[in-house]
Amino acid sequence: MSGFENFSRQAQEIEREIIRKGIALGIDWDDPIEVQSLAQEALACKPNELDCDHDDPQQHIRHELFGLIHLMLQVMAESAGQGVETHGGAVWKALARSLWSARERESK
């Protein structure tokens, strides 16, 4: 990708939406077991293949959250490819730790 990307701004915007979805779903970002479970579920989810029941608002919000998590991973990968480490706030960091941990377990 050519040009300048503002990865920090993108991280802030994505994290803000992740926090909003988390509030709607009652996610406790300080509970490492809950966040780890969410990370594993998000990694297993393929957003393009979802058959979302739009009559169930909680399921719809959860699927939107998974899409944001995949976007988060994409931003981190793109920034790393340009030699930039992208960090967000506390929720971003808790989720990132759990995602990397889940990916490590998958690769073993």
Side-chain angles (χ1 to χ4, degrees), residues 5-64:
E5 293 286 332
N6 190 335
F7 296 114
S8 178
R9 181 181 49 79
Q10 289 176 342
Q12 290 173 351
E13 290 171 0
I14 293 167
E15 182 178 28
R16 181 177 54 247
E17 290 305 313
I18 287 172
I19 290 169
R20 287 179 179 165
K21 305 296 182 207
I23 290 169
L25 294 170
I27 295 171
D28 179 359
W29 297 107
D30 293 322
D31 180 346
I33 295 170
E34 182 176 6
V35 177
Q36 185 64 51
S37 176
L38 177 69
Q40 289 173 324
E41 192 176 346
L43 288 174
C45 174
K46 306 296 182 222
N48 299 357
E49 300 171 7
L50 288 177
D51 183 21
C52 184
D53 177 4
H54 293 285
D55 292 334
D56 181 350
Q58 293 288 30
Q59 182 185 19
H60 183 73
I61 293 168
R62 193 167 195 80
H63 290 166
E64 287 179 342

Side-chain angles (χ1 to χ4, degrees), residues 3-4 6 22 26 28 44 53 62 67 75-77 80 91 93 95-96 101:
F4 175 75
N6 190 335
D28 179 359
D53 177 4
R62 193 167 195 80
V75 167
M76 288 192 296
V91 168
K93 289 174 184 165
L95 190 51
S101 175

